[in-house]
Amino acid sequence: MIRIAIAEDIPRLAETLKDKILLSPDFEVKLMAPNGMYLIQELTKNHGVDVIIMDIQMPLLDGIEATRQVTARWPHIKVIMSTVFDDEQNLFNAIMAGACGYLLKAEEPKKIHRSIYEAIEGGLPMSAGIAKKAIGLMRSAPLPEAKDKETFGLTERETGVLEQLAAGLSYEQVADNLCISHGTVRKHVENIYRKLGVNNRTGALDKAQKNSLL
């Protein structure tokens, strides 16, 4: 059973999200928080949740700051932003605060369920449109000063796959974007993990960021 907390200040939206989540027997909603401050207070008493679905704009303590506090104090908890805002500044702030996913509130239940599973497994679930914005942010970021760095022997194609995984794309989306098969994507990912000396997506992205590969 995956334990979920919902942080949403509009009761109607909170109940709608709860109903969508509970359509799967694998999920249990343990906490409903009307703002970030209440969420932090309740987690301080009992932080036995696995995933938080977090609104951005909330009174007393907004979702970005609440996410920053949650990921600092309880790193085992995965935070997925759920919002009507898909602008680049909110996306950037959420990722920098430690969010592992970013979904629009209009997503269908199956997408929400799939995103929760992906977050638990170390992935970066995002709505399709938001994933494109994330890639755009990465491409528009200023290039670092040229310097010698360890590339770990990654090929250009493997680096491209890694960039798309960092943007939250699924294997299927990466395959479509690169016009290759799902199996080929998996093979590239296996090679990336082996070369970086890691065994999951989170480890690969963390090492890639620390070594300026992304």
Side-chain angles (χ1 to χ4, degrees):
M1 184 70 70
I2 297 175
R3 301 162 297 178
I4 311 294
I6 296 173
E8 169 62 64
D9 65 314
I10 301 176
R12 175 180 56 81
L13 295 180
E15 288 298 325
T16 297
L17 179 56
K18 179 181 178 181
D19 290 342
K20 289 181 178 180
I21 290 172
L22 293 181
L23 288 175
S24 170
D26 293 340
F27 304 135
E28 177 184 10
V29 176
K30 298 285 291 184
L31 172 62
M32 302 280 283
N35 56 67
M37 183 176 294
Y38 182 86
L39 174 71
I40 298 299
Q41 290 172 346
E42 292 302 304
L43 290 176
T44 301
K45 300 174 186 176
N46 181 359
H47 48 269
V49 300
D50 303 302
V51 176
I52 299 172
I53 310 297
M54 183 88 75
D55 185 28
I56 287 183
Q57 288 195 343
M58 295 185 291
L60 301 181
L61 188 68
D62 65 48
I64 300 295
E65 180 56 33
T67 298
R68 189 172 290 113
Q69 293 190 29
V70 168
T71 55
R73 297 175 64 178
W74 305 290
H76 71 282
I77 299 177
K78 308 297 184 181
V79 180
I80 300 175
M81 310 308 291
S82 175
T83 178
V84 296
F85 300 100
D86 64 348
D87 64 276
E88 294 178 351
Q89 191 60 53
N90 277 318
L91 173 59
F92 177 80
N93 290 340
I95 293 174
M96 293 304 294
C100 73
Y102 199 106
L103 300 177
L104 295 179
K105 291 184 178 180
E107 293 289 1
E108 295 297 320
K110 287 185 179 180
K111 173 63 175 178
I112 296 173
H113 299 167
R114 189 163 60 248
S115 296
I116 293 172
Y117 290 129
E118 190 172 348
I120 289 292
E121 293 169 359
L124 298 168
M126 291 188 184
S127 297
I130 293 174
K132 292 179 181 179
K133 285 181 179 290
I135 292 176
L137 279 175
M138 293 175 62
R139 288 175 175 169
S140 64
L143 294 174
E145 294 182 6
K147 60 179 181 180
D148 294 334
K149 65 179 181 181
E150 175 63 62
T151 64
F152 298 92
L154 294 180
T155 66
E156 183 177 347
R157 174 51 62 89
E158 288 165 355
T159 300
V161 170
L162 189 60
E163 288 175 348
Q164 298 206 36
L165 293 179
L169 274 65
S170 66
Y171 287 4
E172 290 79 5
Q173 290 171 316
V174 174
D176 288 342
N177 288 344
L178 299 180
C179 298
I180 57 180
S181 70
H182 183 275
T184 300
V185 173
R186 285 193 173 277
K187 186 62 178 178
H188 283 314
V189 172
E190 290 174 5
N191 289 337
I192 291 169
Y193 289 176
R194 175 176 53 79
K195 291 179 179 180
L196 295 181
V198 300
N199 54 23
N200 56 46
R201 184 190 301 213
T202 300
L205 296 182
D206 182 61
K207 193 162 187 176
Q209 290 169 351
K210 288 180 179 177
N211 288 276
S212 301
L213 295 176
L214 293 175

